[in-house]
Amino acid sequence: MRMSRYFLPILKETPSEAQIVSHRLMLRAGMIRQSSAGIYSWLPMGFKVLRRLENIVHEEQIRAGHHPMLMPTLQSADLWRESGRYEDYGDEMLRITDRHGRDMLYGPTNEELITDIFRNNVQSYKDLPLTLYHIQWKFRDERRPRFGVMRGREFFMKDGYNFDIDKDAALHAYNRHLVSYLRTYERMGLKAIPMRADSGPIGGDDTHEFLVLADTGESEVFYDSAILDLEMGDREVDYDSVEQCAAIKEEWTTPYARTDETHDATLFDAIPEERRKISRGIEVGQIFYFGTKYSDAMNAKVVNEDGKLVPVHMGSHGIGVSRLIGAIIEASHDDKGIIWPEAVTPFRVGIVNLKQGDAEADAACENLYQNLTALGLDPIYDDRKERAGAKFATMDLIGVPWRITVGPRGLKNGVVELTSRKTGESVEMTPADAIARCAEIYAGV
Ligand code: ATP
Ligand code: MG
């Protein structure tokens, strides 16, 4: 992308309405604009990051054997009356009446709709196990929308639903989700800790929330710091293996980690003191096993191997895709701006031309731009007639992980400068080497 042609409305001033750094930076970097309380437009760069996250979520869900689909945002109230949640959900539900006087609602989640699809289309144990998911906008009329996309009213969420013949099979689906979520967050450059949680209005027995540690998080969390050493890495996962998924769950849920809702002081005090940590966290996902709650209420049954009709065991599993962008920025920024992890950055390489209009500098930048584009390295080229300082400030603010600086002086010696946004380190090298180095950095991403 050429900066001169892009829509990147950067704010010089710090917006006064933003209380936390991710919200401030998303506004300043021209990623989002508020349209009304808790509702945002995603400008091109914000939208690009949202798509990147969405792709990672899809890839990891498909790898786990879950099927992507798409359900509508508007739902009929009748299904929610069947489950009893039309009344229970309260003021967070946005209720709408259509021209025929039918009660509709903007979906805050999709258990009822997916259960309806299931019961109308699946009759036999032979079609199980089955996990369906979608990534769709949700609406919850939060009492206090705040912190930008972190607690919006309209937000983008992945929600998946497993259907299994019995509890054991559903618990395997639960573990499979836990493992796929660990991989998802790790790929985004985040450390998200599964913590034992409370089940709330969805209801259920088994549930974990995934929390990213951050001072601005809304939840208080208590954990054994040993959990910070765990890593999924690039180990092979066989999602069909009940033992392997259970072992990974065991590994990640053995060290103590709980939110204030389920915190147990006695267990916590048993951890060696130097490993006992209390801090704050941002909830970026949650998994639930809730058994036959919805299948009983909505009569979703299948014939089992013995020819008997039995209710299916279900769970639901969510990832806050739009909230994740805030969480990533909370976890990765400095006083100059965002520092994108390579896997989610909107642009992979920034090109700064120190002397726009200088024939040699322009040609060198053009050449870099063409080559990086051809390699899929998605460069953003600051080709504006601006001072060098302003160009650096823009690249730092928008958080591009690698910057190539091109100027007449360096070009005389045949070199450009490659700079890491994270460490600030710069190395001089030929343009060809800079391209090769960037290709190498992004090869595994
Ligand atoms: P919270 O406790 O933060 O209100 P929740 O537990 O009600 O969230 P879930 O039903 O578990 O939310 O939804 C799955 C995920 O969607 C959450 O883990 C969170 O990351 C995200 N999410 C929920 N509410 C919002 C919101 N208002 N704005 C942005 N993301 C949200
Ligand atoms: Mg939750």
Side-chain angles (χ1 to χ4, degrees), residues 162-179 205-208 241-242 245-246 249 287-291 313-315 317:
N162 67 284
F163 299 92
D164 288 278
I165 192 68
D166 56 24
K167 181 166 180 178
D168 281 348
L171 288 179
H172 172 56
Y174 184 88
N175 295 346
R176 213 170 52 224
H177 279 89
L178 185 135
V179 174
D205 308 332
D206 234 315
T207 175
H208 282 86
S241 164
V242 171
C245 292
K249 181 198 174 188
I287 52 177
F288 284 98
Y289 162 71
F290 48 67
H313 285 250
M314 293 173 60
H317 316 278

PDB file of all heavy atoms in Angstrom, residues 162-179 205-208 241-242 245-246 249 287-291 313-315 317:
ATOM      1  N   ASN A 162     -20.682 -27.814  20.048  1.00  0.00           N
ATOM      2  CA  ASN A 162     -20.460 -29.236  19.789  1.00  0.00           C
ATOM      3  C   ASN A 162     -21.691 -30.047  20.153  1.00  0.00           C
ATOM      4  O   ASN A 162     -22.413 -29.707  21.093  1.00  0.00           O
ATOM      5  CB  ASN A 162     -19.242 -29.758  20.555  1.00  0.00           C
ATOM      6  CG  ASN A 162     -19.446 -29.772  22.051  1.00  0.00           C
ATOM      7  OD1 ASN A 162     -19.389 -28.732  22.696  1.00  0.00           O
ATOM      8  ND2 ASN A 162     -19.705 -30.956  22.614  1.00  0.00           N
ATOM      9  N   PHE A 163     -21.925 -31.092  19.360  1.00  0.00           N
ATOM     10  CA  PHE A 163     -23.046 -32.019  19.584  1.00  0.00           C
ATOM     11  C   PHE A 163     -22.448 -33.415  19.689  1.00  0.00           C
ATOM     12  O   PHE A 163     -21.771 -33.872  18.762  1.00  0.00           O
ATOM     13  CB  PHE A 163     -24.022 -31.961  18.402  1.00  0.00           C
ATOM     14  CG  PHE A 163     -24.628 -30.599  18.213  1.00  0.00           C
ATOM     15  CD1 PHE A 163     -24.025 -29.679  17.368  1.00  0.00           C
ATOM     16  CD2 PHE A 163     -25.790 -30.232  18.892  1.00  0.00           C
ATOM     17  CE1 PHE A 163     -24.572 -28.412  17.197  1.00  0.00           C
ATOM     18  CE2 PHE A 163     -26.337 -28.976  18.722  1.00  0.00           C
ATOM     19  CZ  PHE A 163     -25.732 -28.056  17.867  1.00  0.00           C
ATOM     20  N   ASP A 164     -22.694 -34.078  20.817  1.00  0.00           N
ATOM     21  CA  ASP A 164     -22.093 -35.388  21.044  1.00  0.00           C
ATOM     22  C   ASP A 164     -23.097 -36.333  21.680  1.00  0.00           C
ATOM     23  O   ASP A 164     -24.063 -35.900  22.299  1.00  0.00           O
ATOM     24  CB  ASP A 164     -20.848 -35.231  21.915  1.00  0.00           C
ATOM     25  CG  ASP A 164     -19.700 -34.582  21.154  1.00  0.00           C
ATOM     26  OD1 ASP A 164     -18.998 -35.300  20.427  1.00  0.00           O
ATOM     27  OD2 ASP A 164     -19.535 -33.340  21.249  1.00  0.00           O
ATOM     28  N   ILE A 165     -22.782 -37.628  21.541  1.00  0.00           N
ATOM     29  CA  ILE A 165     -23.749 -38.640  21.967  1.00  0.00           C
ATOM     30  C   ILE A 165     -23.830 -38.778  23.485  1.00  0.00           C
ATOM     31  O   ILE A 165     -24.870 -39.105  24.031  1.00  0.00           O
ATOM     32  CB  ILE A 165     -23.453 -40.010  21.294  1.00  0.00           C
ATOM     33  CG1 ILE A 165     -24.604 -40.993  21.478  1.00  0.00           C
ATOM     34  CG2 ILE A 165     -22.149 -40.620  21.803  1.00  0.00           C
ATOM     35  CD1 ILE A 165     -25.861 -40.615  20.728  1.00  0.00           C
ATOM     36  N   ASP A 166     -22.711 -38.526  24.180  1.00  0.00           N
ATOM     37  CA  ASP A 166     -22.756 -38.638  25.639  1.00  0.00           C
ATOM     38  C   ASP A 166     -21.751 -37.683  26.277  1.00  0.00           C
ATOM     39  O   ASP A 166     -21.047 -36.960  25.578  1.00  0.00           O
ATOM     40  CB  ASP A 166     -22.508 -40.085  26.094  1.00  0.00           C
ATOM     41  CG  ASP A 166     -21.187 -40.633  25.566  1.00  0.00           C
ATOM     42  OD1 ASP A 166     -20.280 -39.823  25.261  1.00  0.00           O
ATOM     43  OD2 ASP A 166     -21.061 -41.859  25.434  1.00  0.00           O
ATOM     44  N   LYS A 167     -21.683 -37.735  27.578  1.00  0.00           N
ATOM     45  CA  LYS A 167     -20.837 -36.785  28.302  1.00  0.00           C
ATOM     46  C   LYS A 167     -19.356 -36.956  27.953  1.00  0.00           C
ATOM     47  O   LYS A 167     -18.644 -35.971  27.748  1.00  0.00           O
ATOM     48  CB  LYS A 167     -21.060 -36.954  29.815  1.00  0.00           C
ATOM     49  CG  LYS A 167     -20.233 -35.986  30.621  1.00  0.00           C
ATOM     50  CD  LYS A 167     -20.662 -35.897  32.070  1.00  0.00           C
ATOM     51  CE  LYS A 167     -19.754 -34.894  32.778  1.00  0.00           C
ATOM     52  NZ  LYS A 167     -20.092 -34.690  34.178  1.00  0.00           N
ATOM     53  N   ASP A 168     -18.902 -38.207  27.877  1.00  0.00           N
ATOM     54  CA  ASP A 168     -17.481 -38.429  27.576  1.00  0.00           C
ATOM     55  C   ASP A 168     -17.100 -37.816  26.241  1.00  0.00           C
ATOM     56  O   ASP A 168     -16.053 -37.174  26.103  1.00  0.00           O
ATOM     57  CB  ASP A 168     -17.169 -39.930  27.541  1.00  0.00           C
ATOM     58  CG  ASP A 168     -17.034 -40.488  28.949  1.00  0.00           C
ATOM     59  OD1 ASP A 168     -16.947 -39.659  29.896  1.00  0.00           O
ATOM     60  OD2 ASP A 168     -17.032 -41.725  29.105  1.00  0.00           O
ATOM     61  N   ALA A 169     -17.957 -38.048  25.252  1.00  0.00           N
ATOM     62  CA  ALA A 169     -17.663 -37.524  23.916  1.00  0.00           C
ATOM     63  C   ALA A 169     -17.677 -35.990  23.950  1.00  0.00           C
ATOM     64  O   ALA A 169     -16.839 -35.327  23.315  1.00  0.00           O
ATOM     65  CB  ALA A 169     -18.676 -38.046  22.903  1.00  0.00           C
ATOM     66  N   ALA A 170     -18.610 -35.419  24.722  1.00  0.00           N
ATOM     67  CA  ALA A 170     -18.689 -33.957  24.789  1.00  0.00           C
ATOM     68  C   ALA A 170     -17.487 -33.377  25.538  1.00  0.00           C
ATOM     69  O   ALA A 170     -17.020 -32.283  25.223  1.00  0.00           O
ATOM     70  CB  ALA A 170     -19.991 -33.529  25.461  1.00  0.00           C
ATOM     71  N   LEU A 171     -16.979 -34.127  26.509  1.00  0.00           N
ATOM     72  CA  LEU A 171     -15.794 -33.633  27.221  1.00  0.00           C
ATOM     73  C   LEU A 171     -14.563 -33.683  26.327  1.00  0.00           C
ATOM     74  O   LEU A 171     -13.665 -32.841  26.431  1.00  0.00           O
ATOM     75  CB  LEU A 171     -15.577 -34.411  28.525  1.00  0.00           C
ATOM     76  CG  LEU A 171     -16.612 -34.072  29.612  1.00  0.00           C
ATOM     77  CD1 LEU A 171     -16.366 -34.888  30.883  1.00  0.00           C
ATOM     78  CD2 LEU A 171     -16.646 -32.576  29.950  1.00  0.00           C
ATOM     79  N   HIS A 172     -14.536 -34.645  25.415  1.00  0.00           N
ATOM     80  CA  HIS A 172     -13.446 -34.636  24.437  1.00  0.00           C
ATOM     81  C   HIS A 172     -13.553 -33.387  23.551  1.00  0.00           C
ATOM     82  O   HIS A 172     -12.549 -32.734  23.255  1.00  0.00           O
ATOM     83  CB  HIS A 172     -13.453 -35.919  23.587  1.00  0.00           C
ATOM     84  CG  HIS A 172     -12.469 -35.854  22.451  1.00  0.00           C
ATOM     85  ND1 HIS A 172     -11.130 -35.599  22.644  1.00  0.00           N
ATOM     86  CD2 HIS A 172     -12.642 -35.959  21.100  1.00  0.00           C
ATOM     87  CE1 HIS A 172     -10.510 -35.568  21.469  1.00  0.00           C
ATOM     88  NE2 HIS A 172     -11.408 -35.775  20.514  1.00  0.00           N
ATOM     89  N   ALA A 173     -14.766 -33.051  23.143  1.00  0.00           N
ATOM     90  CA  ALA A 173     -14.965 -31.835  22.337  1.00  0.00           C
ATOM     91  C   ALA A 173     -14.506 -30.606  23.122  1.00  0.00           C
ATOM     92  O   ALA A 173     -13.885 -29.685  22.574  1.00  0.00           O
ATOM     93  CB  ALA A 173     -16.436 -31.695  21.936  1.00  0.00           C
ATOM     94  N   TYR A 174     -14.792 -30.611  24.412  1.00  0.00           N
ATOM     95  CA  TYR A 174     -14.358 -29.504  25.290  1.00  0.00           C
ATOM     96  C   TYR A 174     -12.829 -29.387  25.275  1.00  0.00           C
ATOM     97  O   TYR A 174     -12.269 -28.311  25.052  1.00  0.00           O
ATOM     98  CB  TYR A 174     -14.860 -29.811  26.701  1.00  0.00           C
ATOM     99  CG  TYR A 174     -14.590 -28.746  27.739  1.00  0.00           C
ATOM    100  CD1 TYR A 174     -15.496 -27.719  27.936  1.00  0.00           C
ATOM    101  CD2 TYR A 174     -13.443 -28.798  28.537  1.00  0.00           C
ATOM    102  CE1 TYR A 174     -15.272 -26.750  28.911  1.00  0.00           C
ATOM    103  CE2 TYR A 174     -13.205 -27.832  29.512  1.00  0.00           C
ATOM    104  CZ  TYR A 174     -14.122 -26.816  29.695  1.00  0.00           C
ATOM    105  OH  TYR A 174     -13.903 -25.850  30.650  1.00  0.00           O
ATOM    106  N   ASN A 175     -12.176 -30.537  25.447  1.00  0.00           N
ATOM    107  CA  ASN A 175     -10.711 -30.532  25.456  1.00  0.00           C
ATOM    108  C   ASN A 175     -10.142 -30.108  24.102  1.00  0.00           C
ATOM    109  O   ASN A 175      -9.144 -29.399  24.026  1.00  0.00           O
ATOM    110  CB  ASN A 175     -10.171 -31.918  25.825  1.00  0.00           C
ATOM    111  CG  ASN A 175     -10.549 -32.306  27.251  1.00  0.00           C
ATOM    112  OD1 ASN A 175     -10.974 -31.455  28.030  1.00  0.00           O
ATOM    113  ND2 ASN A 175     -10.402 -33.588  27.584  1.00  0.00           N
ATOM    114  N   ARG A 176     -10.800 -30.562  23.054  1.00  0.00           N
ATOM    115  CA  ARG A 176     -10.356 -30.206  21.695  1.00  0.00           C
ATOM    116  C   ARG A 176     -10.414 -28.685  21.518  1.00  0.00           C
ATOM    117  O   ARG A 176      -9.515 -28.083  20.948  1.00  0.00           O
ATOM    118  CB  ARG A 176     -11.297 -30.882  20.705  1.00  0.00           C
ATOM    119  CG  ARG A 176     -10.668 -31.311  19.416  1.00  0.00           C
ATOM    120  CD  ARG A 176     -11.625 -32.186  18.619  1.00  0.00           C
ATOM    121  NE  ARG A 176     -12.924 -31.560  18.455  1.00  0.00           N
ATOM    122  CZ  ARG A 176     -14.092 -32.192  18.607  1.00  0.00           C
ATOM    123  NH1 ARG A 176     -14.119 -33.479  18.933  1.00  0.00           N
ATOM    124  NH2 ARG A 176     -15.221 -31.550  18.446  1.00  0.00           N
ATOM    125  N   HIS A 177     -11.492 -28.099  22.043  1.00  0.00           N
ATOM    126  CA  HIS A 177     -11.592 -26.639  21.951  1.00  0.00           C
ATOM    127  C   HIS A 177     -10.505 -25.959  22.775  1.00  0.00           C
ATOM    128  O   HIS A 177      -9.890 -24.999  22.327  1.00  0.00           O
ATOM    129  CB  HIS A 177     -12.982 -26.155  22.396  1.00  0.00           C
ATOM    130  CG  HIS A 177     -13.999 -26.281  21.313  1.00  0.00           C
ATOM    131  ND1 HIS A 177     -14.743 -27.417  21.114  1.00  0.00           N
ATOM    132  CD2 HIS A 177     -14.355 -25.420  20.324  1.00  0.00           C
ATOM    133  CE1 HIS A 177     -15.532 -27.247  20.066  1.00  0.00           C
ATOM    134  NE2 HIS A 177     -15.315 -26.036  19.574  1.00  0.00           N
ATOM    135  N   LEU A 178     -10.269 -26.489  23.958  1.00  0.00           N
ATOM    136  CA  LEU A 178      -9.230 -25.890  24.797  1.00  0.00           C
ATOM    137  C   LEU A 178      -7.889 -25.884  24.054  1.00  0.00           C
ATOM    138  O   LEU A 178      -7.203 -24.862  23.979  1.00  0.00           O
ATOM    139  CB  LEU A 178      -9.128 -26.660  26.113  1.00  0.00           C
ATOM    140  CG  LEU A 178      -8.166 -26.062  27.142  1.00  0.00           C
ATOM    141  CD1 LEU A 178      -8.815 -26.038  28.521  1.00  0.00           C
ATOM    142  CD2 LEU A 178      -6.857 -26.810  27.225  1.00  0.00           C
ATOM    143  N   VAL A 179      -7.557 -27.017  23.451  1.00  0.00           N
ATOM    144  CA  VAL A 179      -6.280 -27.120  22.740  1.00  0.00           C
ATOM    145  C   VAL A 179      -6.254 -26.171  21.530  1.00  0.00           C
ATOM    146  O   VAL A 179      -5.280 -25.441  21.315  1.00  0.00           O
ATOM    147  CB  VAL A 179      -6.041 -28.588  22.293  1.00  0.00           C
ATOM    148  CG1 VAL A 179      -4.794 -28.687  21.428  1.00  0.00           C
ATOM    149  CG2 VAL A 179      -5.934 -29.510  23.499  1.00  0.00           C
ATOM    150  N   ASP A 205     -21.593 -26.960  33.684  1.00  0.00           N
ATOM    151  CA  ASP A 205     -20.799 -27.592  34.717  1.00  0.00           C
ATOM    152  C   ASP A 205     -19.337 -27.238  34.588  1.00  0.00           C
ATOM    153  O   ASP A 205     -18.677 -26.878  35.535  1.00  0.00           O
ATOM    154  CB  ASP A 205     -20.935 -29.119  34.606  1.00  0.00           C
ATOM    155  CG  ASP A 205     -22.388 -29.541  34.573  1.00  0.00           C
ATOM    156  OD1 ASP A 205     -23.211 -28.809  35.144  1.00  0.00           O
ATOM    157  OD2 ASP A 205     -22.691 -30.587  33.974  1.00  0.00           O
ATOM    158  N   ASP A 206     -18.840 -27.362  33.369  1.00  0.00           N
ATOM    159  CA  ASP A 206     -17.422 -27.262  33.152  1.00  0.00           C
ATOM    160  C   ASP A 206     -17.169 -26.038  32.307  1.00  0.00           C
ATOM    161  O   ASP A 206     -17.759 -25.884  31.245  1.00  0.00           O
ATOM    162  CB  ASP A 206     -16.970 -28.495  32.356  1.00  0.00           C
ATOM    163  CG  ASP A 206     -15.852 -29.199  33.054  1.00  0.00           C
ATOM    164  OD1 ASP A 206     -14.929 -28.497  33.500  1.00  0.00           O
ATOM    165  OD2 ASP A 206     -15.895 -30.430  33.142  1.00  0.00           O
ATOM    166  N   THR A 207     -16.312 -25.147  32.769  1.00  0.00           N
ATOM    167  CA  THR A 207     -16.013 -23.976  31.955  1.00  0.00           C
ATOM    168  C   THR A 207     -14.663 -23.368  32.305  1.00  0.00           C
ATOM    169  O   THR A 207     -14.273 -23.336  33.475  1.00  0.00           O
ATOM    170  CB  THR A 207     -17.146 -22.919  32.052  1.00  0.00           C
ATOM    171  OG1 THR A 207     -16.751 -21.754  31.332  1.00  0.00           O
ATOM    172  CG2 THR A 207     -17.453 -22.519  33.486  1.00  0.00           C
ATOM    173  N   HIS A 208     -13.964 -22.959  31.298  1.00  0.00           N
ATOM    174  CA  HIS A 208     -12.720 -22.212  31.466  1.00  0.00           C
ATOM    175  C   HIS A 208     -12.786 -20.929  30.659  1.00  0.00           C
ATOM    176  O   HIS A 208     -13.309 -20.916  29.542  1.00  0.00           O
ATOM    177  CB  HIS A 208     -11.511 -23.028  30.982  1.00  0.00           C
ATOM    178  CG  HIS A 208     -11.071 -24.072  31.947  1.00  0.00           C
ATOM    179  ND1 HIS A 208     -11.621 -25.328  31.973  1.00  0.00           N
ATOM    180  CD2 HIS A 208     -10.140 -24.037  32.943  1.00  0.00           C
ATOM    181  CE1 HIS A 208     -11.044 -26.034  32.947  1.00  0.00           C
ATOM    182  NE2 HIS A 208     -10.137 -25.278  33.548  1.00  0.00           N
ATOM    183  N   SER A 241      -7.423 -37.711  18.957  1.00  0.00           N
ATOM    184  CA  SER A 241      -6.908 -38.497  20.069  1.00  0.00           C
ATOM    185  C   SER A 241      -7.443 -37.981  21.404  1.00  0.00           C
ATOM    186  O   SER A 241      -7.085 -36.899  21.871  1.00  0.00           O
ATOM    187  CB  SER A 241      -5.371 -38.458  20.062  1.00  0.00           C
ATOM    188  OG  SER A 241      -4.891 -38.886  21.323  1.00  0.00           O
ATOM    189  N   VAL A 242      -8.309 -38.773  22.003  1.00  0.00           N
ATOM    190  CA  VAL A 242      -8.911 -38.411  23.293  1.00  0.00           C
ATOM    191  C   VAL A 242      -7.808 -38.246  24.342  1.00  0.00           C
ATOM    192  O   VAL A 242      -7.803 -37.288  25.119  1.00  0.00           O
ATOM    193  CB  VAL A 242      -9.918 -39.505  23.728  1.00  0.00           C
ATOM    194  CG1 VAL A 242     -10.395 -39.285  25.154  1.00  0.00           C
ATOM    195  CG2 VAL A 242     -11.083 -39.547  22.745  1.00  0.00           C
ATOM    196  N   CYS A 245      -5.546 -34.943  23.723  1.00  0.00           N
ATOM    197  CA  CYS A 245      -6.241 -33.691  24.083  1.00  0.00           C
ATOM    198  C   CYS A 245      -6.421 -33.599  25.591  1.00  0.00           C
ATOM    199  O   CYS A 245      -6.265 -32.526  26.186  1.00  0.00           O
ATOM    200  CB  CYS A 245      -7.580 -33.587  23.359  1.00  0.00           C
ATOM    201  SG  CYS A 245      -7.392 -33.357  21.578  1.00  0.00           S
ATOM    202  N   ALA A 246      -6.736 -34.734  26.229  1.00  0.00           N
ATOM    203  CA  ALA A 246      -6.904 -34.738  27.689  1.00  0.00           C
ATOM    204  C   ALA A 246      -5.585 -34.417  28.374  1.00  0.00           C
ATOM    205  O   ALA A 246      -5.553 -33.688  29.374  1.00  0.00           O
ATOM    206  CB  ALA A 246      -7.439 -36.082  28.151  1.00  0.00           C
ATOM    207  N   LYS A 249      -4.911 -30.734  28.125  1.00  0.00           N
ATOM    208  CA  LYS A 249      -5.771 -30.005  29.080  1.00  0.00           C
ATOM    209  C   LYS A 249      -5.206 -30.132  30.497  1.00  0.00           C
ATOM    210  O   LYS A 249      -5.119 -29.147  31.239  1.00  0.00           O
ATOM    211  CB  LYS A 249      -7.196 -30.559  29.051  1.00  0.00           C
ATOM    212  CG  LYS A 249      -8.089 -29.805  30.021  1.00  0.00           C
ATOM    213  CD  LYS A 249      -9.361 -30.544  30.364  1.00  0.00           C
ATOM    214  CE  LYS A 249     -10.124 -29.796  31.436  1.00  0.00           C
ATOM    215  NZ  LYS A 249     -11.255 -30.558  31.935  1.00  0.00           N
ATOM    216  N   ILE A 287     -14.831 -21.447  27.160  1.00  0.00           N
ATOM    217  CA  ILE A 287     -15.404 -22.711  26.697  1.00  0.00           C
ATOM    218  C   ILE A 287     -16.332 -23.256  27.783  1.00  0.00           C
ATOM    219  O   ILE A 287     -16.090 -23.056  28.978  1.00  0.00           O
ATOM    220  CB  ILE A 287     -14.301 -23.740  26.326  1.00  0.00           C
ATOM    221  CG1 ILE A 287     -13.294 -23.918  27.469  1.00  0.00           C
ATOM    222  CG2 ILE A 287     -13.576 -23.298  25.059  1.00  0.00           C
ATOM    223  CD1 ILE A 287     -12.218 -24.972  27.184  1.00  0.00           C
ATOM    224  N   PHE A 288     -17.406 -23.915  27.339  1.00  0.00           N
ATOM    225  CA  PHE A 288     -18.420 -24.442  28.251  1.00  0.00           C
ATOM    226  C   PHE A 288     -18.808 -25.865  27.864  1.00  0.00           C
ATOM    227  O   PHE A 288     -18.981 -26.144  26.675  1.00  0.00           O
ATOM    228  CB  PHE A 288     -19.762 -23.699  28.085  1.00  0.00           C
ATOM    229  CG  PHE A 288     -19.845 -22.343  28.673  1.00  0.00           C
ATOM    230  CD1 PHE A 288     -19.646 -21.223  27.871  1.00  0.00           C
ATOM    231  CD2 PHE A 288     -20.168 -22.168  30.005  1.00  0.00           C
ATOM    232  CE1 PHE A 288     -19.771 -19.950  28.394  1.00  0.00           C
ATOM    233  CE2 PHE A 288     -20.295 -20.889  30.535  1.00  0.00           C
ATOM    234  CZ  PHE A 288     -20.088 -19.782  29.730  1.00  0.00           C
ATOM    235  N   TYR A 289     -18.996 -26.694  28.851  1.00  0.00           N
ATOM    236  CA  TYR A 289     -19.749 -27.934  28.622  1.00  0.00           C
ATOM    237  C   TYR A 289     -21.025 -27.774  29.427  1.00  0.00           C
ATOM    238  O   TYR A 289     -20.965 -27.509  30.632  1.00  0.00           O
ATOM    239  CB  TYR A 289     -18.964 -29.164  29.111  1.00  0.00           C
ATOM    240  CG  TYR A 289     -19.864 -30.364  29.294  1.00  0.00           C
ATOM    241  CD1 TYR A 289     -20.408 -31.010  28.182  1.00  0.00           C
ATOM    242  CD2 TYR A 289     -20.198 -30.830  30.565  1.00  0.00           C
ATOM    243  CE1 TYR A 289     -21.280 -32.087  28.345  1.00  0.00           C
ATOM    244  CE2 TYR A 289     -21.063 -31.906  30.726  1.00  0.00           C
ATOM    245  CZ  TYR A 289     -21.601 -32.522  29.621  1.00  0.00           C
ATOM    246  OH  TYR A 289     -22.457 -33.573  29.775  1.00  0.00           O
ATOM    247  N   PHE A 290     -22.185 -27.874  28.788  1.00  0.00           N
ATOM    248  CA  PHE A 290     -23.411 -27.719  29.579  1.00  0.00           C
ATOM    249  C   PHE A 290     -24.385 -28.889  29.416  1.00  0.00           C
ATOM    250  O   PHE A 290     -25.563 -28.758  29.761  1.00  0.00           O
ATOM    251  CB  PHE A 290     -24.097 -26.378  29.325  1.00  0.00           C
ATOM    252  CG  PHE A 290     -24.250 -26.018  27.874  1.00  0.00           C
ATOM    253  CD1 PHE A 290     -25.082 -26.748  27.055  1.00  0.00           C
ATOM    254  CD2 PHE A 290     -23.560 -24.941  27.342  1.00  0.00           C
ATOM    255  CE1 PHE A 290     -25.225 -26.420  25.717  1.00  0.00           C
ATOM    256  CE2 PHE A 290     -23.695 -24.604  26.006  1.00  0.00           C
ATOM    257  CZ  PHE A 290     -24.529 -25.339  25.186  1.00  0.00           C
ATOM    258  N   GLY A 291     -23.872 -30.003  28.913  1.00  0.00           N
ATOM    259  CA  GLY A 291     -24.696 -31.214  28.899  1.00  0.00           C
ATOM    260  C   GLY A 291     -25.936 -31.085  28.041  1.00  0.00           C
ATOM    261  O   GLY A 291     -25.864 -30.687  26.882  1.00  0.00           O
ATOM    262  N   HIS A 313     -25.520 -34.194  24.005  1.00  0.00           N
ATOM    263  CA  HIS A 313     -24.706 -33.415  24.938  1.00  0.00           C
ATOM    264  C   HIS A 313     -24.005 -32.313  24.160  1.00  0.00           C
ATOM    265  O   HIS A 313     -23.453 -32.544  23.100  1.00  0.00           O
ATOM    266  CB  HIS A 313     -23.690 -34.308  25.636  1.00  0.00           C
ATOM    267  CG  HIS A 313     -24.318 -35.157  26.684  1.00  0.00           C
ATOM    268  ND1 HIS A 313     -24.098 -34.956  28.026  1.00  0.00           N
ATOM    269  CD2 HIS A 313     -25.200 -36.192  26.577  1.00  0.00           C
ATOM    270  CE1 HIS A 313     -24.803 -35.834  28.713  1.00  0.00           C
ATOM    271  NE2 HIS A 313     -25.479 -36.601  27.861  1.00  0.00           N
ATOM    272  N   MET A 314     -24.085 -31.110  24.731  1.00  0.00           N
ATOM    273  CA  MET A 314     -23.574 -29.957  23.996  1.00  0.00           C
ATOM    274  C   MET A 314     -22.607 -29.121  24.823  1.00  0.00           C
ATOM    275  O   MET A 314     -22.546 -29.219  26.037  1.00  0.00           O
ATOM    276  CB  MET A 314     -24.745 -29.039  23.593  1.00  0.00           C
ATOM    277  CG  MET A 314     -25.697 -29.628  22.589  1.00  0.00           C
ATOM    278  SD  MET A 314     -27.134 -28.527  22.358  1.00  0.00           S
ATOM    279  CE  MET A 314     -26.349 -27.019  21.785  1.00  0.00           C
ATOM    280  N   GLY A 315     -21.910 -28.263  24.090  1.00  0.00           N
ATOM    281  CA  GLY A 315     -21.084 -27.248  24.732  1.00  0.00           C
ATOM    282  C   GLY A 315     -21.019 -26.062  23.800  1.00  0.00           C
ATOM    283  O   GLY A 315     -21.351 -26.189  22.610  1.00  0.00           O
ATOM    284  N   HIS A 317     -18.532 -22.497  22.766  1.00  0.00           N
ATOM    285  CA  HIS A 317     -17.136 -22.086  22.879  1.00  0.00           C
ATOM    286  C   HIS A 317     -16.939 -20.791  22.109  1.00  0.00           C
ATOM    287  O   HIS A 317     -17.212 -20.745  20.905  1.00  0.00           O
ATOM    288  CB  HIS A 317     -16.246 -23.186  22.310  1.00  0.00           C
ATOM    289  CG  HIS A 317     -16.659 -24.572  22.753  1.00  0.00           C
ATOM    290  ND1 HIS A 317     -16.287 -25.100  23.968  1.00  0.00           N
ATOM    291  CD2 HIS A 317     -17.472 -25.493  22.175  1.00  0.00           C
ATOM    292  CE1 HIS A 317     -16.830 -26.310  24.108  1.00  0.00           C
ATOM    293  NE2 HIS A 317     -17.564 -26.571  23.036  1.00  0.00           N
TER     294      HIS A 317
END
